[in-house]
Amino acid sequence: MRIRNAMTALGLVAMLASAGYATTAAAAPSATANSAADTIKTFDGDYGITNDNGFELPAIPIQKVKPQFRRQIVAYKSDEAEGTIIVNTRERHLYYILGNGEAMRYGIGVGKQGFSWSGTAYVAWKQEWPNWHPPKEMAVRRPEIAKYVDGGMNPGLSNPLGARAMYLYNDKGQDTLFRLHGTPEWASIGTAASSGCIRLINQDVIDLYSRVLPGRSTKVVVIQ
């Protein structure tokens, strides 16, 4: 059974817009770009048709995705603990620290200019096949989605949050309104196309989700 509308009382939103961010986070540390990191293992065979919780995700034409944005294990030096997530928006990469000088690297889509955020947070909770509740400010710009502000869009293949969502909170326990989530728009990976959140190919966000244990120990560093 898929989770349909957990914690709606929080008024969760998925796509950040001109509403801005309700809370602040600690400044993110600087980092050296790792785009040219040596690849240790690739996962090009994992992008086929995927049956998940009653939904059938279509296969991704992975050869149309640039190699650097496909899931792979890379050599990655970091002082962060195993299990830390590092989002490098300049590279369009998300790194999940595996330890021993390695990380799982995923291609991402990032927010358009003006909808960016950086800092340190943690994954407070996560959800499979989430509902989407766009903020009212987004509905003003896009009246066609106004009907989803209160009732939300049900989970599905066209839902902007995709197959999984992970919700980031700051060190005060406040919702940053920043999400790591899937997307049906695989061609947007590697671009600045979202309204602020970090999007991954659905097959990739399912993999990342399986690795993440919610709680303050799951640190997320977002670097602009």
Side-chain angles (χ1 to χ4, degrees), residues 76-145:
Y76 190 87
K77 294 182 179 180
S78 175
D79 293 330
E80 299 292 347
E82 181 178 342
T84 298
I85 296 170
I86 298 177
V87 179
N88 193 314
T89 60
R90 291 169 296 177
E91 294 181 7
R92 311 292 196 262
H93 284 146
L94 181 152
Y95 297 89
Y96 180 85
I97 304 299
L98 298 173
N100 296 319
E102 297 179 359
M104 184 71 77
R105 190 178 74 182
Y106 307 84
I108 59 173
V110 302
K112 297 177 183 177
Q113 186 177 7
F115 297 104
S116 60
W117 177 86
S118 63
T120 301
Y122 67 95
V123 177
W125 66 288
K126 61 181 186 176
Q127 188 176 8
E128 298 184 14
W129 292 99
N131 283 55
W132 179 51
H133 291 265
K136 292 180 179 179
E137 292 76 12
M138 180 181 286
V140 170
R141 300 194 309 274
R142 297 174 54 193
E144 73 275 10
I145 67 172

Side-chain angles (χ1 to χ4, degrees), residues 43-49 58-60 62 70-71 201 203-204:
F43 297 87
D44 286 3
D46 288 359
Y47 293 97
I49 294 173
I60 304 299
I62 198 60
R70 304 172 195 170
R71 189 189 339 149
I201 293 173
Q203 282 85 341
D204 282 346

